[in-house]
């Protein structure tokens, strides 16, 4: 893990980022609430975009690297970066991972969640376990976001939860620093060694985002150039928060 140029935010910066984070979180919640059988991922995308723009913010993903959507909508074996489409409709029992980002006053908020279309009872035990463990892994990582810890402590904590549960942990896609840019240094892998990497300081802000699967860690990209799917067809979950490191400990900025 190279020592990256990690930007330090002031307390005022963090409050400004919280505004972007809140808009992103509200868009995520609205998108997840709209995820019902028969709804297309394009309709969900529109709901999130309208909400983001309603706050005077702009969708961080739209146009990013040419991405055609305000959300990423990834279903079952799709892990991340699913492109919203009119022709992709949700089915009861689908695991739907939604990722939303908002830019507000030149700050970015980024968060993701995985929900079951039709409610938790619409999937099987494995599906519910996958989502629960992914959330647990995220919060294990967040807990390590305290000054004086090292980045490897965060990564290792996330990975340990996934590994203990016997789930696949993506290697090719990682969390990231965040601020004026959606993707800043450092990379934040979902695995690592405790006590390694840069020392965490007050004012660093990270997007932590475990991506776990019910099978292996290998993934492929669809021909659309974006959608990342598991190579073995196993289902995946992806849950993310933007988190600031403060003197009082981790501060989650993406709350609605
Ligand atoms: Mg992210």
């Amino acid at each position: 893990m190279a020592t990256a140029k990690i930007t330090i935010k002031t307390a005022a910066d963090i409050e400004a980022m919280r505004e972007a984070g809140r808009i992103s979180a509200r868009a995520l919640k609205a998108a997840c609430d709209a995820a019902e059988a028969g709804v297309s991922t394009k309709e969900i995308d529109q709901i999130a975009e309208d909400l983001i723009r309603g706050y005077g913010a702009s969708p961080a993903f739209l146009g990013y690297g040419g991405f055609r959507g305000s959300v990423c909508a990834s279903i079952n074996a799709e892990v991340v970066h699913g492109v919203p489409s009119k022709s992709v409709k949700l089915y009861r029992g689908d695991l739907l991972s939604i990722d939303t980002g908002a830019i507000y006053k030149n700050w970015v908020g980024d968060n993701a969640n995985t929900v079951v279309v039709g409610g938790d009872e619409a999937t099987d035990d494995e599906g519910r376990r996958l989502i629960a463990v992914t959330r647990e892994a995220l919060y294990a990582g967040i807990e390590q976001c305290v000054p004086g810890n090292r980045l490897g402590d965060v990564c290792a904590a996330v990975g340990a939860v996934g590994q203990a549960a016997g789930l696949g942990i993506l290697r090719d896609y990682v969390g990231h620093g965040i601020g004026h840019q959606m993707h800043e240094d450092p990379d934040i892998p979902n695995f690592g060694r405790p006590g390694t990497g840069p020392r965490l300081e007050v004012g660093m802000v990270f997007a932590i985002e475990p991506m776990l699967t019910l099978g292996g860690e290998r993934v492929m990209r669809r021909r659309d150039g974006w959608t990342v799917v598991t190579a073995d067809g196993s289902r995946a979950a992806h849950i993310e928060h933007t988190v600031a490191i403060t003197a009082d400990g981790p501060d989650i900025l993406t709350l609605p």
Side-chain angles (χ1 to χ4, degrees):
M1 224 177 284
T3 303
K5 299 177 296 296
I6 306 174
T7 60
I8 300 295
K9 283 80 176 177
T10 66
D13 292 341
I14 289 171
E15 289 317 306
M17 286 195 73
R18 195 188 309 282
E19 294 301 310
R22 183 178 293 135
I23 295 165
S24 190
R26 287 179 180 173
L28 179 60
K29 185 175 186 309
C32 290
D33 287 349
E36 288 178 23
V39 171
S40 77
T41 54
K42 181 65 196 166
E43 288 172 84
I44 288 173
D45 183 65
Q46 195 63 54
I47 288 165
E49 178 173 351
D50 290 348
L51 190 144
I52 289 168
R53 294 204 190 280
Y55 286 102
S58 48
F61 301 165
L62 189 61
Y64 189 96
F67 189 78
R68 294 203 320 230
S70 295
V71 308
C72 301
S74 311
I75 301 169
N76 296 328
E78 299 171 352
V79 192
V80 288
H81 303 168
V83 182
S85 168
K86 267 186 217 163
S87 61
V88 176
K89 298 229 157 90
L90 299 175
Y91 287 84
R92 180 179 161 82
D94 279 346
L95 303 192
L96 174 68
S97 298
I98 302 266
D99 196 341
T100 66
I103 306 170
Y104 186 67
K105 295 183 177 170
N106 203 27
W107 294 102
V108 186
D110 187 5
N111 62 177
N113 196 16
T114 301
V115 295
V116 182
V117 177
D120 284 352
E121 67 282 3
T123 188
D124 52 12
D125 287 344
E126 283 290 89
R128 283 186 289 269
R129 186 174 78 92
L130 172 65
I131 294 172
V133 171
T134 305
R135 182 163 286 109
E136 190 190 329
L138 169 62
Y139 280 91
I142 291 173
E143 225 168 74
Q144 295 298 317
C145 288
V146 295
N149 271 3
R150 287 179 182 273
L151 185 60
D153 297 328
V154 177
C155 304
V158 173
V161 172
Q163 196 166 20
L167 298 180
I169 302 168
L170 259 69
R171 307 266 150 180
D172 298 350
Y173 294 84
V174 299
H176 48 93
I178 182 167
H180 286 313
Q181 305 297 321
M182 183 157 61
H183 294 119
E184 298 187 354
D185 284 337
D187 281 352
I188 306 176
N190 291 310
F191 56 91
R193 278 195 305 136
T196 64
R199 187 81 66 184
L200 304 188
E201 295 173 30
V202 171
M204 292 179 175
V205 184
F206 296 157
I208 302 173
E209 47 181 322
M211 293 158 247
L212 303 180
T213 82
L214 285 171
E217 67 188 43
R218 282 193 49 237
V219 290
M220 305 180 300
R221 199 140 21 128
R222 286 242 177 88
R223 265 175 303 206
D224 62 18
W226 283 102
T227 314
V228 175
V229 299
T230 57
D232 58 13
S234 61
R235 289 173 292 171
H238 172 222
I239 309 183
E240 174 182 31
H241 271 309
T242 296
V243 182
I245 293 160
T246 78
D248 299 326
D251 186 355
I252 300 174
L253 302 183
T254 36
L255 296 175

